[in-house]
Amino acid sequence: MTAGDGTGNGDGADDERRDAPPIETYDDGVIAIDTLTGGMTSVTAGYLLTAPRPALVECGPALSIDNVIAGMRALGMDPDDLAYLVLTHIHLDHAGGAGDVASAFPNATVVVSEVGARHMHDPERLNASSQRVYGPLFDSVYGACTPIAAERLVGVADGDTLDLGGGRTLELLYTPGHAKHHIGVHDSGTGAIFTGDSVGVRLPGMSYIRPATPPADFHLEAALESIDRYRRRDPERIYLAHYGHVDPAHAALDEAEERLRLWAATAEAAYHTSTELDHVAETLKQRFADEIDASAVADDPDAEKRIELLSGYESNAAGMIRYFTRRDDGTLTPVG
Ligand SMILES: [Zn+2]
């Protein structure tokens, strides 16, 4: 393996010494490293899977990647130690720091859906579209993705596996819906599935799972099928990128499906009255705002800020409007 071409600031990341972020070790060989995205705790996790050939699942955005690297160093990971960085999808809150991780860990192969791989090699379009979607948050929270050399990247298809050694294998499940380049990661060693954003988000202390239906390619049927696919795997637990593990997994998946159907039905009813973004977003807000107040995060003043950052009403409304529009005018392409 050769080092990345033009990935840039790997040396800087090495030299920069900073305190390790919060780290939580679960009992199944999974270690959650808090990326401290946007300077907030418990927003986005990277999951380090310990094994002879360790893997990191998700790395978070570029602007907070030094936290993740510091966390891995604190866990005793030397530059040569990481074998894989697995990205559930290429949205910048999951994959934006991948080029920096590739530089800091020169043996690591970056694993991503074959649907999204070329955008990690040449992220110009990804960065440009993210800038449009995120607005000012692009510069304050996310930062630009740096290119990853083709020989460091593997684009995977449904059912491909990664052998971590010691009897631990990761199977990659193509699970579109949230995005067409989304994969879930099934860990044979523990029976856990890392679901990225494909079943929604639930921050610590929240009592429910909130759908995440952003533009540009949210697809309702695909999202429902992906949830069902996880259910058929009968997982021990699921790990959400935002944030942490949820069990029992079956109850969580049932809840995720129910909430997604409810949000979609609410958005569609609003969409039939008016296709304006403000109208659909406001309808969702009126219908679901009480869920935040009613949940256990009510005493956390940052809770609403966190959840809006990850799965805001406007973003979810925009994704669903685009889905309904393409469905109704016949331009929706089947996924999967
Ligand atoms: Zn996300």
Side-chain angles (χ1 to χ4, degrees):
M1 296 276 177
T2 55
D5 61 347
T7 45
N9 59 0
D11 291 339
D14 270 352
D15 292 337
E16 189 164 335
R17 294 284 168 230
R18 60 167 70 198
D19 292 340
I23 287 170
E24 187 170 358
T25 303
Y26 296 101
D27 58 10
D28 55 1
V30 175
I31 302 170
I33 302 172
D34 194 329
T35 65
L36 298 177
T37 292
M40 292 184 283
T41 57
S42 306
V43 168
T44 304
Y47 293 106
L48 182 64
L49 312 191
T50 53
R53 288 187 286 282
L56 180 68
V57 178
E58 321 274 29
C59 65
L63 280 186
S64 47
I65 201 63
D66 288 344
N67 298 319
V68 178
I69 292 169
M72 291 173 70
R73 298 271 189 268
L75 289 163
M77 295 284 291
D78 289 330
D80 289 343
D81 289 346
L82 187 69
Y84 298 108
L85 168 62
V86 185
L87 305 170
T88 61
H89 59 302
I90 65 171
H91 290 164
L92 292 194
D93 59 320
H94 297 252
D100 304 294
V101 172
S103 295
F105 294 93
N107 290 335
T109 297
V110 179
V111 178
V112 63
S113 164
E114 60 188 354
V115 180
R118 69 193 163 94
H119 296 292
M120 299 309 296
H121 175 57
D122 178 8
E124 199 177 318
R125 266 183 59 196
L126 175 64
N127 285 328
S129 67
S130 303
Q131 213 154 8
R132 280 194 301 276
V133 170
Y134 293 134
L137 294 176
F138 181 85
D139 290 321
S140 62
V141 173
Y142 299 106
C145 193
T146 54
I148 298 170
E151 63 267 29
R152 300 285 307 277
L153 267 171
V154 173
V156 292
D158 186 47
D160 283 355
T161 58
L162 304 175
D163 181 6
L164 306 190
R168 196 170 198 179
T169 302
L170 303 182
E171 184 178 353
L172 306 165
L173 308 175
Y174 182 52
T175 47
H178 174 81
K180 64 186 173 192
H181 40 74
H182 197 291
I183 56 174
V185 182
H186 194 182
D187 180 355
S188 72
T190 65
I193 301 181
F194 298 84
T195 58
D197 284 352
S198 51
V199 306
V201 308
R202 193 193 75 168
L203 302 184
M206 267 172 69
S207 57
Y208 68 96
I209 295 174
R210 176 153 155 167
T213 66
D217 43 44
F218 170 70
H219 189 300
L220 179 60
E221 279 73 35
L224 291 167
E225 167 56 24
S226 292
I227 292 171
D228 206 39
R229 180 119 195 256
Y230 295 138
R231 198 165 20 216
R232 293 197 297 272
R233 289 279 167 140
D234 197 17
E236 287 292 321
R237 57 171 57 166
I238 58 175
Y239 285 91
L240 310 177
H242 322 285
Y243 183 104
H245 75 93
V246 187
D247 52 6
H250 266 262
L253 293 168
D254 289 350
E255 181 197 332
E257 177 185 341
E258 192 184 321
R259 296 213 172 258
L260 178 55
R261 287 187 189 281
L262 192 59
W263 275 65
T266 305
E268 185 162 15
Y271 170 81
H272 285 314
T273 309
S274 162
T275 59
E276 290 293 320
L277 175 61
D278 285 353
H279 169 70
V280 177
E282 188 56 33
T283 305
L284 288 174
K285 187 174 181 181
Q286 278 174 11
R287 174 69 179 78
F288 297 109
D290 61 323
E291 290 184 342
I292 288 197
D293 298 333
S295 76
V297 293
D299 56 350
D300 177 354
D302 275 345
E304 200 158 347
K305 202 168 121 195
R306 286 190 178 101
I307 197 79
E308 271 298 300
L309 178 71
L310 297 166
S311 168
Y313 296 111
E314 199 167 298
S315 161
N316 282 350
M320 284 198 273
I321 289 170
R322 187 166 155 79
Y323 166 77
F324 298 137
T325 305
R326 290 190 300 158
R327 183 195 62 188
D328 292 350
D329 68 16
T331 59
L332 193 65
T333 43
V335 182

